Amino acid sequence: MITCKVLGPLEVYSDNTGDKVDIKGNKNRALLVYLARSPRLSRGREHLTGLLWGDKPEEKARHSLREAARVLRKQLGESVLDSDSDQIRVYEDQVSLDVEEFEELVAAGDWEGAAAIAAGEFLEGLSIKGAWAFEEWLTIERAFWRGKCTKVLSNRCEELLAAGRNTEAIEMAMRALALDSGSGTAVRAAMKSLSLAGERAQALAQYETFTERLSEVGAKPDEKTVDLANRVKQERAWQLPAAVEKDKDKGAASRRTPLIGRGDDLASLVECLGSCRDEGQANVCLIEGDSGTGKTRLVDELSARARLSSATVAMFRSVACDIDLPGTGLLGLARSGLECGAGLATASPTSLGAFAAEIPEWADRFGAPKGKLQPLEVAIVDVIRAIAAEQPVVLLVDDAQWCDQLTLQALAALLRDLDSSPLFVGLSFAPQPPREELDDLKSRVGRDLAGATIRLGPLDAAALRELTAWALPEYTREESDRLARRVASDSAGLPMLAVELLHAVALGMNLEDTAGAWPRPLRTLSQTLPGDLPEAIVGAIRVGFRRLTKDAQTVLAAAAVLESPVTIELLSRGSGLTDGKLHGALDELEWQRWLTADARGYSFIARIVCEVVARDMITGGQRQRILDAASENL
């Protein structure tokens, strides 16, 4: 039996030996594949001579057909091809094409397996001059399989994006575009994967190229593609210093790591988001884990995907002081995305006024509040209902263990009152301090609330090996495994600390010169002081700090001294930087995942990193100068 790979350049293999069979002559190759794709695997001689030798006299054409059949029997075996005076056929159990397996995988929804087969154009590179009938058939076949392969590659791209594998998703999308540069599905996959990788400019460049290509034939992009382009335009345009821009794709040197070990968790969140959007049902997802396990990263990844999926997204990060300030979380969500909701203006004046009374931007848009106003916890239901009537609403709260009680209760009420609306609520939190409101939601997920609960723990050995291999690809397998074991010991498998170590090693730090394992028994990262961390971890944070540009170091020092969240105005005063320099430094710190931002200002992603910077990288005099500068004109 032989197997023919026809998606891409033709390759023929003998199943008996596993060897590749080199079939000489394009017409011989064409005859084999054409017969294998024919009804009942058979064609009449007259039909075949007209297909491949239509430019020859009848007798010469029939001779050429006989000679082609002889060559195929000689190369493939007598049992592969059969003929009589009228027809030539291939035996069903002797010839298989990769498109048959491809169709089976597509029917099963196995996009990964199908994408592995979609290696290129149908019979790529094959052309027979003068065989017009065959060329017409080939054109139709190529169009058919091009469409199927483009869809498969785009679906596989979506799977990879859902698992946080952005780099592989970009590669898959580019394969789809290479097959069909005029496919809206393929260009959307490319735009989405590039945007999620932080390459907004490249994503928009793909859209511009696509638009120009369509205009050449008098066509325009479809509505879905235009909508995605508009959403990409609203994404963050990073203004990175030249040194950071140059190194941003150089592995661990950039601290911009792939989402390793958390792909299944992100896929679960994306699945719930899709269910909310497609079924119009409220969903809640809870992400629980100790500090340093990657909760904020998951929330950020989910937020980015939601923004590109035609949803109104509002994200808020709680800090410790919020727990005693009723309604802080609701106001934070209102300032962090709800004001952009398409249907917001249809909410009642009393509900809009409740937020306008607290938020100047809302007052500017809807006017000063008048008369008796709704309580915030009542007004939020009306506001979300109005927006959800137009598009899905995604509410995300990071570090929800610090969120005020009124907000948590209001979110639970939203899930109850708008259970038949496309509302998604995502909450990430640490187990300490314990919160009754979060425990209540956990007990209801899967019972009377649709959604999922995700518990994040340390990265396992396999994930740490994968992360180490990515960070230091020049290492041998033995060296990489040895480093992964050391990272596991020093970081306790916490992603944040593992990344700090690998970043430092990539920049030249030698772990053999440091000692100490972590954590101490029964102590989490949130309960740990800088002095409790292993020397390797503290050293890694110092290495990362010194790697920053001078402006970024200055801003990070100010952020470590001032109380989080720090407004951009306070950071400007505390650092002495303004305009372009300040914005470039903040973009660098966000890109390198030192800081995160919401409507209220900037915070360290990890408290322990803030404390190391404040203790080890700032002098007493520098601290006082920052405080004095920040307090001026207050």
Side-chain angles (χ1 to χ4, degrees):
M1 183 175 176
I2 63 167
T3 297
C4 301
K5 296 184 177 181
V6 298
L7 294 178
L10 177 64
E11 295 179 356
V12 181
Y13 293 89
S14 169
D15 289 358
N16 293 330
T17 64
D19 295 333
K20 186 176 180 179
V21 181
D22 185 16
I23 298 177
K24 302 296 184 183
N26 279 351
K27 289 189 177 181
N28 296 337
R29 300 186 186 102
L31 176 61
L32 173 64
V33 175
Y34 185 78
L35 287 172
R37 287 287 296 154
S38 295
R40 297 185 295 277
L41 307 179
S42 176
R43 286 292 187 179
R45 286 179 179 271
E46 184 176 348
H47 174 83
L48 293 172
T49 55
L51 182 81
L52 294 169
W53 294 278
D55 56 340
K56 289 186 176 183
E58 181 178 351
E59 187 57 38
K60 287 188 176 181
R62 292 177 70 85
H63 172 76
S64 295
L65 176 59
R66 287 194 297 273
E67 181 62 15
R70 184 191 68 79
V71 170
L72 289 176
R73 286 194 185 95
K74 180 178 180 181
Q75 290 192 295
L76 304 177
E78 293 291 335
S79 61
V80 171
L81 205 66
D82 184 35
S83 63
D84 55 32
S85 59
D86 297 321
Q87 293 186 329
I88 296 180
R89 66 185 64 84
V90 293
Y91 289 108
E92 183 176 4
D93 57 349
Q94 291 299 311
V95 178
S96 68
L97 304 181
D98 60 354
V99 290
E100 296 164 1
E101 182 184 359
F102 178 84
E103 293 267 53
E104 292 175 0
L105 293 169
V106 169
D110 184 351
W111 309 123
E112 181 180 9
I117 295 175
E121 192 82 78
F122 182 82
L123 292 182
E124 186 175 303
L126 182 65
S127 179
I128 301 178
K129 186 177 180 180
W132 308 117
F134 176 78
E135 288 292 331
E136 182 178 1
W137 172 83
L138 187 57
T139 298
I140 295 171
E141 285 285 297
R142 282 177 174 168
F144 176 78
W145 292 110
R146 186 184 304 125
K148 286 215 163 193
C149 289
T150 300
K151 180 180 178 181
V152 162
L153 293 171
S154 298
N155 285 343
R156 178 57 182 158
C157 176
E158 289 290 340
E159 277 189 341
L160 291 167
L161 288 177
R165 295 160 64 181
N166 295 346
T167 302
E168 295 170 74
I170 292 173
E171 179 186 353
M172 202 63 58
M174 293 307 171
R175 282 175 57 190
L177 269 180
L179 270 178
D180 189 354
S181 60
S183 167
T185 300
V187 78
R188 287 195 298 275
M191 290 164 59
K192 192 172 181 180
S193 55
L194 286 166
S195 180
L196 290 173
E199 302 293 347
R200 174 180 175 271
Q202 290 188 36
L204 293 175
Q206 289 291 340
Y207 176 70
E208 293 300 327
T209 301
F210 177 71
T211 302
E212 291 170 6
R213 188 176 293 114
L214 290 184
S215 68
E216 294 173 359
V217 294
K220 294 182 179 180
D222 59 87
E223 186 177 337
K224 286 184 178 179
T225 306
V226 173
D227 179 66
L228 178 59
N230 289 333
R231 288 183 171 274
V232 171
K233 289 174 184 176
Q234 296 168 13
E235 288 295 285
R236 180 73 170 274
W238 296 96
Q239 300 175 15
L240 301 176
V244 179
E245 187 72 36
K246 178 172 63 72
D247 290 341
K248 73 177 186 178
D249 297 322
K250 293 185 178 179
S254 73
R255 293 177 90 247
R256 193 87 179 173
T257 60
L259 191 69
I260 291 174
R262 299 292 187 239
D264 290 344
D265 299 317
L266 180 59
S268 296
L269 294 172
V270 172
E271 182 180 358
C272 288
L273 181 61
S275 174
C276 166
R277 180 189 62 239
D278 298 338
E279 299 175 15
Q281 181 184 20
N283 270 249
V284 59
C285 284
L286 307 175
I287 308 168
E288 182 178 10
D290 289 323
S291 178
T293 52
K295 302 186 299 299
T296 297
R297 175 70 185 278
L298 273 182
V299 171
D300 287 343
E301 294 282 352
L302 181 63
S303 174
R305 283 152 180 76
R307 290 195 303 270
L308 294 178
S309 66
S310 301
T312 293
V313 182
M315 185 167 70
F316 174 76
R317 192 180 197 211
S318 299
V319 294
C321 62
D322 291 338
I323 199 168
D324 296 321
L325 300 174
T328 303
L330 294 179
L331 294 173
L333 290 170
R335 295 179 60 198
S336 302
L338 290 184
E339 74 280 4
C340 301
L344 178 60
T346 63
S348 70
T350 54
S351 296
L352 296 174
F355 288 98
E358 303 287 343
I359 305 173
E361 296 87 349
W362 284 57
D364 291 341
R365 179 176 176 186
F366 300 110
K370 298 177 182 179
K372 186 177 180 180
L373 303 177
Q374 298 274 21
L376 287 178
E377 65 271 25
V378 176
I380 191 68
V381 177
D382 186 39
V383 165
I384 298 300
R385 181 183 286 112
I387 300 174
E390 297 286 337
Q391 57 189 178
V393 179
V394 177
L395 305 178
L396 301 171
V397 179
D398 192 19
D399 277 348
Q401 75 274 9
W402 302 119
C403 196
D404 63 281
Q405 183 182 48
L406 180 67
T407 295
L408 292 178
Q409 290 174 340
L411 292 175
L414 276 172
L415 292 165
R416 178 196 65 215
D417 297 341
L418 303 181
D419 63 326
S420 296
S421 298
L423 168 65
F424 180 97
V425 176
L427 304 170
S428 80
F429 58 95
Q432 298 296 329
R435 296 298 301 274
E436 182 180 344
E437 300 85 0
L438 295 173
D439 290 339
D440 179 63
L441 283 174
K442 279 196 296 183
S443 69
R444 295 172 57 197
V445 174
R447 185 163 52 88
D448 62 332
L449 288 177
T453 298
I454 294 171
R455 293 178 176 84
L456 300 181
L459 294 178
D460 61 21
L464 287 171
R465 285 195 298 270
E466 184 181 354
L467 188 62
T468 303
W470 168 83
L472 297 152
E474 70 277 12
Y475 274 32
T476 66
R477 176 66 179 273
E478 182 180 351
E479 290 172 332
S480 185
D481 285 349
R482 186 166 62 248
L483 176 58
R485 289 193 295 271
R486 176 62 191 269
V487 168
S489 172
D490 281 359
S491 70
L494 293 180
M496 186 203 77
L497 299 184
V499 168
E500 292 291 348
L501 282 171
L502 291 170
H503 172 62
V505 172
L507 297 177
M509 179 178 175
N510 185 0
L511 289 183
E512 299 300 327
D513 296 336
T514 61
W518 187 86
R520 294 183 179 181
L522 305 179
R523 291 177 68 84
T524 68
L525 188 57
S526 294
Q527 300 166 319
T528 301
L529 297 174
D532 296 327
L533 290 171
E535 180 185 340
I537 295 292
V538 176
I541 295 172
R542 292 171 182 161
V543 168
F545 180 88
R546 295 190 184 102
R547 175 74 172 181
L548 294 168
T549 62
K550 183 174 179 57
D551 286 344
Q553 289 181 17
T554 302
V555 173
L556 196 64
V561 171
L562 301 172
E563 184 177 350
S564 293
V566 194
T567 65
I568 195 168
E569 292 80 12
L570 272 178
L571 284 173
S572 179
R573 286 201 294 267
S575 66
L577 300 177
T578 58
D579 300 332
K581 283 192 172 184
L582 177 62
H583 294 149
L586 288 171
D587 275 6
E588 178 182 352
L589 292 169
E590 277 195 87
W591 178 267
Q592 300 281 30
R593 296 195 171 113
W594 292 87
L595 299 180
T596 185
D598 63 15
R600 295 191 297 177
Y602 290 82
S603 305
F604 273 81
I605 286 179
R607 177 193 61 82
I608 195 67
V609 173
C610 173
E611 294 181 0
V612 171
V613 171
R615 186 195 70 172
D616 295 354
M617 312 309 295
I618 303 171
T619 66
Q622 186 180 6
R623 171 187 293 275
Q624 191 58 51
R625 287 193 296 272
I626 291 171
L627 291 172
D628 290 344
S631 63
E632 288 181 3
N633 301 320
L634 288 182

